[in-house]
Amino acid sequence: MTPLLLVAFESAPWTQAWGEVLDLPQLRKLNCSSQTASWMLCACALVFARSVIAAEGELVLDYLFAKANTVVDAAQPGSGNTTLDAGDLGTRFLYSTNLRAFGQPAKLQVDYHGRDAVVGNTRNSDLHLFYAANLTLSLDDRSQLSMGRFLAPSVVLLPVDGLRLTHNHKLADGQGVAQFFAGRRGVLTSRRNVPLDEFLPAIGADWQWRNQRFSAGGSLAYSEDDAILVKASRELKRRYGSLQGAVQGSVALSRELTVNLRIAGFEHATVTLGPSWSELDLDVNALDLWHATGMVRWRPNRDWRFRYGFHRQQASVYRVGVQLEDEAGDLTQFRNPGFSPTFTDHRLRAERRFRIGASNGWIRARARYRERADRTERRAGGELQVSNVLVKGASLQLAGFVDQISGRNGKPIVLDGDRRSLIATLGYRRAGWNVEAGANWLDRDAPYSGRTFTLADPDEPRNARDQSLFVLEAQTHAFVRTFWTGRRFFAGLDLERNLEDGGEFRAFAQFGVRFGEGR
């Protein structure tokens, strides 16, 4: 079987450069342009003999459609409803092949993500992102040099256009991997491509080591980014730099007991954006964002499992310079603390495996205690998962949780203090097929959705920038899902409907093909 190579570049210089490296005259003649807001995906089916090149990867296409009713004017509850709908087409392309470049063994890797709005009156933003498009050369048995775009080791997502040096080494009866990279940021955190004429520096290093009992590692990186604020058809952009680092480690105290720990930090300078919404000016400051996580896992035998998790996140986020109009018509400037995503989590989980005749499964108990600056959250619940119910391949899953929210430091609770959630799912799995049907009941006060907007800016709802405009996981909904996978092809279909709001519906379909030796 001969593999299919799909190549997509946004400009002719990139295409010509890769054509020269791969010595492919077909690719050098390819001329792609992205001068307009709409994109052009240039695809070439280049067929190679198996004796020359061995490639593997997958191509996945999906279609997401969502429809919902929304309040026309949030300030006037009786203003009536309107229908919002959106549909977009997604593409995911993974490609990896071994070849020779510059007289050395090399590997070409491509990872492309794309989404295009095709229908609907509430369009999502188009995405055409390469998270990887690099050529890796083997310098010797332990060192490799990557050129092009790659995902750099970092606390946050950091696609980099540049060079990466990887070195494998042995140390203290273990294996270590060191990485050094330098270049420019290729994709913003707001999921936009950085123009080729714009340079946002990115540099850093990463080291990981492990043996049979221990693991340790750390990373340090500096990068610059653009903060983007969208107001209807206007767009404001500010550049900032950030220093980020992380250390982590784990130890297996015994075959049954494992401990993991990770501490990561992200610091960036003050970012000023404005105007925003109806405010005349807005300064957003985020300093010293860091988090620490830890986990203790104990497996005394094959039927019992226990886990304790800890998560502490600290962030200084506040707004200053907000100017609003008072009752007299004068502008008043004040400092608003805003929302600070600071919390401490404690999680417990206990699991017990059971067998009843031909059926088997797990009983799980879960608990969570979270402390925020303004409230305390307690959650308790359990889950029952059974396989081979009545017939081989059939499964049953039941889960229930209770949340209790109470105020702290004298601050009132604006949310419903007590919530309950129940999930029930029936499934069947056999011969590559996996079918599920179920419902999620969430006890919460209205409104059940945030799909309300004001007519003060009628253009904004029709130019949504959120890829998850309709989210049903936080609503009471029913679903039917089916997925089939074979040796080469796979496909899936997911249908969801809101049971509180009959006008909310979402459908997701996916089809993919794997090629090469790894399929």
Side-chain angles (χ1 to χ4, degrees), residues 290-341:
W290 66 274
H291 71 267
T293 59
M295 184 189 70
V296 179
R297 183 176 59 191
W298 181 40
R299 297 181 177 179
N301 53 56
R302 67 188 306 269
D303 291 332
W304 281 97
R305 297 179 182 178
F306 300 91
R307 178 180 295 183
Y308 164 74
F310 170 83
H311 186 187
R312 169 65 178 176
Q313 177 173 293
Q314 180 74 39
S316 300
V317 179
Y318 55 92
R319 297 175 178 176
V320 296
V322 181
Q323 297 180 357
L324 297 178
E325 185 175 314
D326 58 18
E327 296 180 357
D330 299 327
L331 292 178
T332 302
Q333 182 169 335
F334 66 96
R335 174 169 173 165
N336 180 11
F339 170 72
S340 179

Side-chain angles (χ1 to χ4, degrees), residues 57 124 128 162 226 390 395 441-442 454 469 490 493:
N124 286 326
H128 313 109
D226 286 335
L390 300 179
S395 63
W441 177 69
L442 181 62
T454 176
L469 180 62
F490 56 92
L493 179 64

Side-chain angles (χ1 to χ4, degrees), residues 240-315:
Y240 66 92
S242 64
L243 181 66
Q244 51 209 267
V247 293
Q248 63 270 340
S250 68
V251 54
L253 300 177
S254 64
R255 295 184 59 183
E256 297 82 16
L257 186 61
T258 304
V259 179
N260 297 273
L261 178 65
R262 172 182 169 86
I263 301 176
F266 177 81
E267 182 273 336
H268 68 76
T270 300
V271 180
T272 302
L273 296 174
S276 171
W277 303 291
S278 60
E279 302 166 353
L280 298 183
D281 192 20
L282 174 65
D283 292 343
V284 180
N285 297 258
L287 302 173
D288 302 326
L289 171 65
W290 66 274
H291 71 267
T293 59
M295 184 189 70
V296 179
R297 183 176 59 191
W298 181 40
R299 297 181 177 179
N301 53 56
R302 67 188 306 269
D303 291 332
W304 281 97
R305 297 179 182 178
F306 300 91
R307 178 180 295 183
Y308 164 74
F310 170 83
H311 186 187
R312 169 65 178 176
Q313 177 173 293
Q314 180 74 39

Side-chain angles (χ1 to χ4, degrees), residues 50-71:
R50 170 174 285 188
S51 60
V52 177
I53 195 170
E56 61 182 33
E58 65 182 33
L59 174 64
V60 185
L61 302 176
D62 67 72
Y63 181 73
L64 172 65
F65 177 79
K67 184 181 73 172
N69 292 330
T70 185
V71 177

Side-chain angles (χ1 to χ4, degrees), residues 96-173:
S96 176
T97 183
N98 296 317
L99 43 80
R100 294 188 67 85
F102 309 108
Q104 299 291 334
K107 174 177 286 188
L108 173 66
Q109 295 178 320
V110 176
D111 184 359
Y112 171 78
H113 296 243
R115 301 209 68 85
D116 290 274
V118 291
V119 297
N121 56 16
T122 308
R123 300 292 184 92
N124 286 326
S125 300
D126 294 338
L127 293 179
H128 313 109
L129 306 177
F130 280 95
Y131 288 118
N134 61 79
L135 186 68
T136 301
L137 302 176
S138 297
L139 303 181
D140 52 41
D141 294 340
R142 296 185 177 182
S143 302
Q144 299 85 33
L145 178 64
S146 299
M147 301 176 294
R149 178 168 298 181
F150 50 84
L151 285 178
S154 173
V155 177
V156 296
L157 183 67
L158 182 58
V160 174
D161 296 332
L163 300 176
R164 177 180 59 185
L165 178 63
T166 304
H167 179 70
N168 298 271
H169 56 278
K170 293 184 178 181
L171 178 65
D173 194 28

